[in-house]
């Protein structure tokens, strides 16, 4: 005996969890077919489904709570990561904007140089570059020759080209500092966001909660199957006995039908034997009748022949007819002998 549980009644579903089973529907089969199924579906039995529903709801609620708690923590961490990434992007944009300003200052100085007709390799241009380096040192040390030339420039007036370029250089330096500071802050936030992502991957809170929820629902599904089995097994024996009784009755009906068929077959054989006997008797009777008719014709022909010869055949009785018949038989024998003699003579 096999007990199966109906999927629609016993299917447990949760986030990311689906326990699926297949149903196999069998059409009614005749008793003469080779295989029969003794399967009972628990869904067809009078099972109390309230306790099962409560158990399913409790498991689903608990699994959802696990996922929601983990999701809350994960969401906060993810929100912090996103905010950090946004700040990194904002400071990166600030750095790019100041770098554009630095480029604009370089373009302005280049226009001044071209406007005043100052050659790139001229002493005026070299002195300007030295003054820019001295105005805002970038960490590079000046050579003794550059130090000496810088002292000389302190006692000389600046050209109009140099004065304008140094004014622009002040702005350029300011934008350059802002760009470097913004880029530094942007990198700091970007590194922080990366570290936060790595930290999230270490804990796997969301994945762990999902696994725990799946395990909970799976275990609950097993418990529900056990409940169904306990409630169903009390009905299985009775249902199985009913099926056995039905099959026994069908077997008995089939046996009775086979006996009836056998009786009909025997009766048919007896009837055929009787018909054959009647046919045989009919053939023998017909043969006797033909023999009598032949004898009667012979007697009639003999009497006619005697009458034609002038013999008195009137009042001839049975004895006379017997003598005539005996004489005819002898004549036949003589005729046969004669034929035999003729054959011998031919030989």
């Amino acid at each position: 005996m096999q007990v199966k549980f109906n999927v629609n009644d016993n299917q447990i579903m949760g986030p990311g969890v689906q326990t699926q089973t297949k149903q196999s529907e069998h059409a009614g089969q005749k008793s003469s077919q080779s295989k029969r199924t003794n399967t009972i579906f628990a869904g067809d039995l009078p099972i109390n489904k309230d306790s099962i529903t409560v158990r399913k709801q409790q498991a689903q609620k608990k699994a959802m709570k696990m996922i929601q708690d983990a999701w809350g923590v994960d969401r906060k961490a993810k929100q912090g990561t996103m905010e950090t990434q946004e700040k990194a992007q904002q400071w990166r944009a600030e750095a790019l904007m100041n770098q554009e300003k630095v480029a604009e200052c370089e373009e302005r100085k280049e226009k001044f140089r071209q406007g005043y007709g100052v050659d790139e390799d001229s002493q005026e241009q070299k002195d300007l570059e030295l003054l820019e380096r001295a105005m805002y040192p970038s960490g590079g040390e000046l050579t003794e020759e550059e130090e000496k030339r810088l002292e000389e420039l302190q006692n000389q007036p600046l050209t109009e080209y140099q004065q304008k370029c140094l004014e622009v250089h002040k702005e350029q330096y300011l934008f350059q500092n802002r760009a470097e500071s913004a880029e530094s802050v942007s990198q700091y936030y970007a590194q922080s966001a990366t570290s936060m992502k790595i930290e999230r991957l270490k804990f796997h809170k969301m994945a762990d909660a999902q696994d725990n929820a799946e395990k909970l629902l799976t275990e609950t599904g097993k418990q529900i199957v056990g409940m169904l089995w306990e409630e169903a097994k009390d009905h299985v024996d009775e249902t199985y006995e009913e099926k056995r009784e039905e099959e026994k009755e069908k077997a008995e009906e089939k046996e009775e039908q086979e006996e009836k068929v056998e009786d009909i077959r025997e009766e048919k054989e007896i009837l055929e034997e009787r018909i054959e006997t009647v046919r045989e008797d009919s053939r023998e009777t017909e043969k006797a009748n033909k023999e009598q008719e032949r004898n009667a014709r012979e007697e009639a022909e003999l009497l006619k022949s005697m009458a034609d010869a002038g013999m008195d055949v009137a009042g001839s009785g049975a004895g006379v007819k017997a003598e005539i018949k005996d004489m005819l038989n002898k004549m036949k024998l003589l005729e046969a002998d004669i034929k035999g003699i003729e054959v011998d003579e031919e030989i």
Side-chain angles (χ1 to χ4, degrees):
M1 172 58 63
Q2 196 175 14
V3 179
K4 292 185 178 179
F5 297 103
N6 194 316
V7 176
N8 292 330
D9 291 334
N10 305 320
Q11 188 174 22
I12 309 299
M13 296 184 65
V17 182
Q18 291 185 345
T19 304
Q20 300 179 342
T21 58
K22 296 181 180 179
Q23 294 181 336
S24 179
E25 300 179 354
H26 300 281
Q29 299 180 348
K30 298 181 180 180
S31 59
S32 60
Q33 290 180 343
S34 59
K35 292 186 179 180
R36 298 176 181 176
T37 57
N38 293 325
T39 301
I40 297 175
F41 287 92
D44 298 332
L45 298 175
I47 297 173
N48 182 12
K49 297 181 181 178
D50 292 338
S51 59
I52 296 172
T53 302
V54 171
R55 181 65 63 87
K56 286 168 59 178
Q57 290 176 349
Q58 289 176 347
Q60 290 174 349
K61 185 176 180 181
K62 189 174 180 180
M64 185 60 67
K65 181 69 166 53
M66 290 180 180
I67 295 174
Q68 286 177 345
D69 292 344
W71 175 253
V73 175
D74 187 74
R75 182 174 54 186
K76 289 180 180 179
K78 186 175 182 179
Q79 183 66 27
T81 303
M82 292 177 62
E83 290 176 357
T84 304
Q85 288 176 333
E86 289 177 359
K87 288 180 179 179
Q89 292 175 357
Q90 290 173 359
W91 281 104
R92 178 61 179 163
E94 179 72 16
L96 291 175
M97 182 185 68
N98 283 278
Q99 287 174 1
E100 291 176 357
K101 294 293 184 180
V102 171
E104 290 177 1
C105 291
E106 284 291 339
E107 291 178 358
R108 288 166 61 190
K109 289 193 295 182
E110 179 63 20
K111 288 180 179 179
F112 287 152
R113 186 188 69 78
Q114 294 177 1
Y116 285 97
V118 178
D119 189 73
E120 292 182 355
D121 296 329
S122 65
Q123 186 62 45
E124 185 179 2
Q125 180 64 30
K126 292 179 180 179
D127 290 342
L128 174 62
E129 293 175 358
L130 180 60
L131 290 170
E132 289 177 346
R133 290 174 58 193
M135 184 182 295
Y136 301 109
S138 59
E141 295 183 359
L142 298 176
T143 62
E144 293 182 359
E145 185 179 353
E146 289 175 338
E147 291 284 354
K148 184 178 180 181
R149 179 57 183 167
L150 186 60
E151 290 178 358
E152 294 176 354
L153 292 175
Q154 298 296 329
N155 300 320
Q156 295 180 4
L158 299 175
T159 65
E160 185 176 354
Y161 164 67
Q162 290 175 338
Q163 291 177 355
K164 289 185 177 181
C165 285
L166 289 175
E167 290 294 330
V168 174
H169 186 68
K170 292 179 181 178
E171 296 180 16
Q172 182 177 354
Y173 179 76
L174 178 63
F175 291 134
Q176 183 66 39
N177 283 342
R178 289 178 179 177
E180 292 175 355
S181 298
E183 183 65 27
S184 177
V185 175
S186 174
Q187 291 179 0
Y188 168 77
Y189 279 117
Q191 292 174 356
S192 298
T194 302
S195 300
M196 293 170 72
K197 285 182 179 180
I198 295 173
E199 253 342 271
R200 284 178 60 202
L201 294 175
K202 287 181 181 179
F203 290 102
H204 305 290
K205 287 186 178 294
M206 195 63 192
D208 293 341
Q210 184 75 15
D211 292 340
N212 293 333
E214 291 179 357
K215 291 177 182 178
L216 174 64
L217 293 176
T218 301
E219 184 62 29
T220 303
K222 293 179 180 179
Q223 294 175 2
I224 289 175
V225 170
M227 293 171 60
L228 289 170
W229 175 258
E230 290 297 328
E231 294 185 25
K233 68 180 181 179
D234 295 335
H235 303 275
V236 171
D237 293 337
E238 181 180 353
T239 305
Y240 181 54
E241 288 299 325
E242 291 178 357
K243 287 185 175 291
R244 287 185 60 186
E245 288 296 328
E246 290 178 0
E247 292 178 358
K248 184 178 179 181
E249 291 177 0
K250 290 179 180 180
E252 291 176 354
E253 291 178 358
K254 181 180 179 181
E255 186 177 354
E256 291 177 1
Q257 292 293 333
E258 290 177 352
E259 290 177 356
K260 290 180 180 180
V261 171
E262 185 63 26
D263 292 340
I264 293 172
R265 187 182 294 110
E266 291 177 357
E267 291 177 0
K268 181 181 179 182
E269 291 176 356
I270 293 172
L271 181 59
E272 289 177 349
E273 289 177 358
R274 290 179 180 176
I275 292 172
E276 185 63 27
T277 301
V278 171
R279 286 178 178 174
E280 186 67 27
D281 293 342
S282 176
R283 285 195 293 269
E284 291 179 357
T285 301
E286 184 178 357
K287 184 178 180 182
N289 290 336
K290 289 181 178 180
E291 182 67 24
Q292 289 177 2
E293 288 178 0
R294 187 175 61 79
N295 292 335
R297 284 196 300 271
E298 290 177 353
E299 290 176 2
E301 290 176 358
L302 179 58
L303 292 174
K304 184 176 181 300
S305 298
M306 291 174 65
D308 293 339
M311 297 177 64
D312 184 12
V313 294
S316 297
V320 176
K321 294 179 179 180
E323 291 176 0
I324 294 171
K325 182 181 289 188
D326 184 59
M327 182 178 61
L328 290 173
N329 290 332
K330 290 180 179 180
M331 290 176 67
K332 289 180 180 178
L333 291 173
L334 290 172
E335 184 179 357
D337 292 338
I338 292 170
K339 289 181 179 179
I341 293 170
E342 291 174 356
V343 172
D344 293 338
E345 289 177 352
E346 289 176 0
I347 294 172

